[in-house]
Amino acid sequence: MSDAKPPDDGRQRIVHVQLVEQTAIRRRPEVEHERAVALFDLVEENQQFQLVDHPDAGPYRLYLSIEDNRMVFDLRDEGDAEVDRITLPLTPLRTVIRDYFLICEGYYKAIKTASPSQIEAIDMGRRGLHNEGSDLLRERLAAKVTMDHGTARRLFTLICVLHIRG
């Protein structure tokens, strides 16, 4: 799982991402902001996203959804033809996602009333958990996908957003 970049031909990256949700969910403004930033940054800044079984494929259109307690990565080419469909059980990610939600809740409350040093301490914990979730995601997908750390971080954010039920 090195962050070594492949030859920069621009193909081993995500050029479009869409969250596929079964129902319309109204989320808090903070969550919607995180979602929008993660979607934008994922498309604009991902450096490496390469399918192990399709090393010459890409760039990719990615459709993320949750089906039967599994994360689904529906990967398509630029013409929207299916390239691969990867499913990832969510059980191994549940604890870190739950902990991340708890610390985010504390962070959103703290920014209204806490001192700057308290907010900073909570934010450091939040970033640490986010990194832990991103690393776990990279580990779990390593047999199927090679990706850089920043891409994994943004995907972890989107997985968390899809977990919010309302």
Side-chain angles (χ1 to χ4, degrees):
M1 287 193 303
S2 97
D3 274 328
K5 288 175 66 171
D8 190 7
D9 64 4
R11 292 184 340 174
Q12 274 63 45
R13 61 186 314 273
I14 297 167
V15 294
H16 171 84
V17 62
Q18 182 176 331
L19 302 183
V20 180
E21 301 178 80
Q22 303 304 323
T23 59
I25 297 172
R26 194 172 177 104
R27 297 179 182 97
R28 294 188 350 210
E30 301 93 347
V31 174
E32 282 301 320
H33 176 74
E34 292 290 326
R35 174 190 167 279
V37 168
L39 286 169
F40 179 83
D41 287 351
L42 182 58
V43 171
E44 293 300 316
E45 298 177 11
N46 73 94
Q47 296 175 7
Q48 181 185 26
F49 187 92
Q50 182 177 16
L51 294 174
V52 173
D53 292 341
H54 305 279
D56 295 326
Y60 303 101
R61 296 176 61 83
L62 172 62
Y63 298 89
L64 286 173
S65 62
I66 295 178
E67 296 176 11
D68 300 323
N69 200 30
R70 294 180 178 277
M71 193 73 222
V72 177
F73 297 78
D74 181 2
L75 292 144
R76 297 173 177 266
D77 65 18
E78 287 183 293
D80 219 30
E82 187 173 323
V83 175
D84 203 348
R85 182 178 164 94
I86 300 169
T87 59
L88 178 69
L90 288 168
T91 304
L93 293 169
R94 269 207 207 290
T95 300
V96 71
I97 290 171
R98 184 193 67 232
D99 292 348
Y100 183 68
F101 282 158
L102 289 172
I103 203 161
C104 284
E105 193 66 35
Y107 174 78
Y108 294 134
K109 287 178 183 174
I111 58 175
K112 295 175 184 172
T113 61
S115 71
S117 62
Q118 290 171 316
I119 294 169
E120 185 178 340
I122 294 169
D123 192 43
M124 286 177 62
R126 182 174 78 131
R127 282 181 284 164
L129 269 174
H130 199 272
N131 284 336
E132 182 181 332
S134 303
D135 291 343
L136 183 57
L137 179 63
R138 285 175 77 190
E139 273 178 34
R140 302 294 300 176
L141 289 173
K144 299 277 185 182
V145 177
T146 302
M147 73 180 94
D148 63 278
H149 181 70
T151 298
R153 282 184 55 83
R154 291 171 184 101
L155 285 173
F156 180 74
T157 298
L158 295 174
I159 289 169
C160 289
V161 167
L162 282 170
H163 255 76
I164 297 172
R165 300 284 183 219

